[in-house]
Amino acid sequence: MKCIFIVQGEGRGHLTQCIALENILRSHGHEVVKVLVGKSFSRQIPDFFRRNIHAPIERFESPNFLPTPANKRNTLTRSVAYNMFRIPAYLRSIRFLKKSITESGADVVINFYELLTGMAYALYSINTPQICIGHQYLFLHKDFPLPEKNRSEIRLLNLFSRLTCIGACQKLALSFKAMDDDTASNIRVVPPLLRKEVFALHPTKGDYIHGYMLNSGFAENVMAWHRQRPDVPLCFFWDRRGEKEVKQVDATLSFHPLDDKTFLEKMAGCLAYASTAGFESICEAMYLGKPILMVPAHIEQDCNALDATSNGAGIISEDFNLDKLLAFARTYEPDARFHAWVDSAPQAILHALRPDVLERYVSKMRAAGEF
């Protein structure tokens, strides 16, 4: 089977899922003919992604969350307003996607939560079946408990998610735990997609706190805590534009550019993990048995954090108050069931891509007049 990947390029979660799925497909004789990555002016494609993807990579301009002036928490409404001004550029990207899909000869499009893929299927007649993958599709599941706060932002987020999957025959909802499928919405619940490097690690309990921040403005918050507790070693990774080298603040605090190998090595050896609640790194920390502090940077990460805490993985905070994390770490016990769930991911994903399964879902869409 030939596949073409289209991936939202913000953060590291969708990118690492893309790497993991390409490895699974290649190891079972399938081919990824091309990877199309949506980008914004404030993000770069990390070097680790370029090194690990085997298929040719092409970029296109795509809507993304717009950081606040302080570069901390994202505001969804502000991002929507900004992206409205970029519509002409996005229309060019939609035409590019349609042309790329048609000319690729792919049997299936695998969409990692990229909005313009859904727009391409809405505006053009594209005969190639599309499968969407992302934790966000779990928020559309009839049995998923959504946060009680920020209901208007949650509605906007779910509207965004529905737009990304226009024309999709299946929505594969990555989940921390097994749930029944939502057949009425074509949502199949599947395990997280972790990269093969995670499974080769041997976790140990070190003395330092490991961290990742989507928006580098949170660094001020981390440094403020560090000034009060310089005795606790901190090793943080950030997505700061232009930063290519490690910034060593002092003997016990350093900020690193995104690097897949170093990031996972530090994760395996840490005492605890603090992050802006991206789904992928939470899963990695859970698999390696690390207690987690989550500081959501936007409404999607609010949902991630709520889901993770309900599964006993960690605690939520409005800032990087690492005292809370140290206290939680003293009583934290990893959940062994998560290991078995994650290990079943290849089987679940490959089943969803079987030609007979694809045809069954496509036939269902044809009968409903949606394909």
Side-chain angles (χ1 to χ4, degrees), residues 187-362:
I187 296 174
R188 296 170 61 91
V189 178
V190 298
L193 278 168
L194 301 188
R195 291 170 295 147
K196 61 182 181 180
E197 290 81 3
V198 176
F199 306 117
L201 294 170
H202 301 284
T204 57
K205 188 175 181 179
D207 64 347
Y208 62 91
I209 293 176
H210 176 45
Y212 170 69
M213 54 188 72
L214 171 63
N215 295 331
S216 58
F218 279 118
E220 300 168 8
N221 187 202
V222 172
M223 287 190 287
W225 187 88
H226 173 67
R227 285 191 288 270
Q228 301 299 316
R229 291 293 308 274
D231 58 304
V232 180
L234 305 178
C235 178
F236 272 74
F237 287 71
W238 60 7
D239 191 11
R240 188 172 190 175
R241 188 175 182 84
E243 293 285 353
K244 296 292 186 181
E245 304 294 332
V246 176
K247 181 178 180 180
Q248 190 73 44
V249 178
D250 57 32
T252 54
L253 173 60
S254 57
F255 292 99
H256 299 247
L258 281 178
D259 176 88
D260 59 329
K261 183 178 179 181
T262 307
F263 181 89
L264 289 177
E265 288 174 352
K266 294 294 186 183
M267 175 81 82
C270 72
L271 171 67
Y273 178 62
S275 87
T276 40
F279 175 75
E280 194 68 13
S281 66
I282 292 174
C283 289
E284 290 167 348
M286 290 174 67
Y287 194 83
L288 296 171
K290 306 299 181 179
I292 310 166
L293 175 78
M294 291 161 283
V295 186
H298 49 70
I299 187 60
E300 175 189 321
Q301 293 183 348
D302 285 327
C303 297
N304 291 346
L306 178 66
D307 195 13
T309 54
S310 71
N311 284 279
I315 54 174
I316 302 172
S317 177
E318 293 184 357
D319 57 22
F320 281 90
N321 183 343
L322 303 179
D323 288 315
K324 295 180 180 179
L325 178 57
L326 292 173
F328 175 72
R330 286 194 285 270
T331 59
Y332 171 74
E333 291 292 337
D335 186 351
R337 293 172 299 180
F338 185 71
H339 264 240
W341 173 237
V342 170
D343 291 344
S344 69
Q347 179 183 357
I349 300 294
L350 290 169
H351 180 270
L353 289 170
R354 276 173 31 186
D356 60 315
V357 175
L358 278 176
E359 180 56 35
R360 185 166 69 247
Y361 277 90
V362 169

Side-chain angles (χ1 to χ4, degrees), residues 1 107-108 127-131 168-170 186 188 350-368 371:
M1 176 180 287
D107 300 301
V108 62
N127 294 322
T128 309
Q130 176 196 177
I131 291 178
C169 61
Q170 293 184 74
N186 289 343
R188 296 170 61 91
L350 290 169
H351 180 270
L353 289 170
R354 276 173 31 186
D356 60 315
V357 175
L358 278 176
E359 180 56 35
R360 185 166 69 247
Y361 277 90
V362 169
S363 298
K364 179 181 176 182
M365 291 184 68
R366 287 197 186 104
F371 190 83

Side-chain angles (χ1 to χ4, degrees), residues 1-194:
M1 176 180 287
K2 292 183 177 180
C3 307
I4 183 170
F5 287 1
I6 308 177
V7 56
Q8 184 199 114
E10 182 176 0
R12 66 183 289 272
H14 302 292
L15 297 175
T16 55
Q17 291 161 16
C18 185
I19 293 169
L21 185 55
E22 188 195 40
N23 285 330
I24 291 171
L25 294 177
R26 282 169 53 88
S27 68
H28 286 81
H30 303 296
E31 179 185 0
V32 179
V33 297
K34 191 177 292 186
V35 178
L36 309 178
V37 181
K39 68 177 180 67
S40 69
F41 80 94
S42 61
R43 303 291 183 215
Q44 303 175 65
I45 296 179
D47 290 340
F48 79 81
F49 185 74
R50 294 186 180 278
R51 288 197 306 270
N52 286 281
I53 284 291
H54 296 85
I57 299 171
E58 295 184 27
R59 301 177 67 173
F60 61 93
E61 188 164 0
S62 171
N64 276 301
F65 285 114
L66 185 68
T68 65
N71 199 25
K72 294 182 180 178
R73 186 175 172 89
N74 301 107
T75 303
L76 190 59
T77 51
R78 182 170 172 266
S79 295
V80 170
Y82 166 79
N83 283 308
M84 292 294 289
F85 289 101
R86 304 297 303 157
I87 286 177
Y90 302 151
L91 289 173
R92 289 192 293 272
S93 293
I94 291 170
R95 291 193 292 270
F96 164 77
L97 291 178
K98 191 265 183 184
K99 184 173 184 290
S100 298
I101 294 169
T102 303
E103 294 179 352
S104 70
D107 300 301
V108 62
V109 172
I110 300 183
N111 177 16
F112 295 83
Y113 203 63
E114 171 50 54
L115 171 67
L116 297 189
T117 312
M119 296 296 96
Y121 274 79
L123 295 176
Y124 295 102
S125 178
I126 300 175
N127 294 322
T128 309
Q130 176 196 177
I131 291 178
C132 290
I133 295 180
H135 180 55
Q136 297 86 347
Y137 301 117
L138 196 65
F139 309 156
L140 303 176
H141 193 290
K142 60 183 178 63
D143 296 328
F144 184 80
L146 292 164
E148 292 299 325
K149 64 176 184 177
N150 300 327
R151 300 298 291 185
S152 61
E153 287 198 354
I154 290 173
R155 285 192 290 270
L156 276 175
L157 172 62
N158 281 343
L159 171 62
F160 184 95
S161 297
R162 290 187 176 95
L163 293 175
T164 67
C165 61
I166 292 174
C169 61
Q170 293 184 74
K171 296 179 279 290
L172 304 184
L174 304 174
S175 174
F176 293 124
K177 63 180 179 182
M179 293 175 60
D180 292 334
D181 295 339
D182 186 345
T183 55
S185 300
N186 289 343
I187 296 174
R188 296 170 61 91
V189 178
V190 298
L193 278 168
L194 301 188

